[in-house]
Amino acid sequence: MDERGGSFVAVRRISQGLDRGNTCHSTSAEVVAGSAAWLGRGLSCVCAQRRESDPRPSFDLTPAQEECLQRLQLRIDVAYDSSIPEHREALRALWNAAFPDEELRDLISEQWKEMGWQGKDPSTDFRGGGFISLENLLYLARNFPKSFQDLLRKQEGDRSVWEYPFAVAGVNITFMLIQMLDLEAACFNFTVKPRTMVGATFLKFLSENESAFDLLYCITFKLMDHQWLAMRASYMDFNTVMKSTRRQLERELLLEDVTRLEDLPSYSLLSR
């Protein structure tokens, strides 16, 4: 991707699933370059924008909610840094979760394109979501391995010829959730009060489950893929699919009978 954030990769479907018995350059997928504004610095285009003059309510927090939110904000503020051993280990763990039968030759390798990264160095794609976007992918892989593999290998549904790249889509989802829950603004302005009903509702879940953001990420990824299939989308429809996913997720979070994230209708899409 260039410095303007105006390029992307799309994955062309040639056969169903990835044949990991072959080398990393199998004929199951083909990566091509193009131009659109839905990756990297163009991530904000998938999310609704607001005017500064829009009225926004403020919600008081309990001490427990404030503490949980501050810890989450600290996670969001961590950039991926390849000089930190724990970050490199997390990236290698992601590869092992995705392709347990194939050894990763190096952390900078053409092999990463098989997972849907834009180039041979995934760290360049974390600029939009930070280290938490890698943590989100790992959480999905470890807690819902079947869903992780289904999403990675595009194993469900009647797929498009040109599919969204799995890994970069994951970074998009992290970024979208940060915006939707107003966490980015909170982080930069050092304010701990949510300014939307969706954000306030999420904080109730966060205070009861510190992995709530990671779990909501997993739900959102599966919901996005479900919407993708229902809309019979192709890569140029990605922004539209993300906007639809966000609207559906906001509706579900505000349902009266939802008292935990596991009550969300879209939670049923996940498989362990």
Side-chain angles (χ1 to χ4, degrees), residues 251-269:
R251 284 193 292 267
E252 292 189 14
L253 284 168
L254 296 179
L255 291 174
E256 291 184 1
D257 57 347
V258 170
T259 60
R260 55 179 190 148
L261 289 177
E262 290 85 350
D263 295 332
L264 293 175
S266 292
Y267 178 81
S268 63
L269 298 172

Side-chain angles (χ1 to χ4, degrees), residues 215-230:
L215 178 56
L216 185 61
Y217 171 89
C218 299
I219 296 169
T220 306
F221 210 146
K222 281 295 291 184
L223 174 59
M224 185 278 291
D225 191 69
H226 181 76
Q227 299 271 50
W228 178 274
L229 291 171

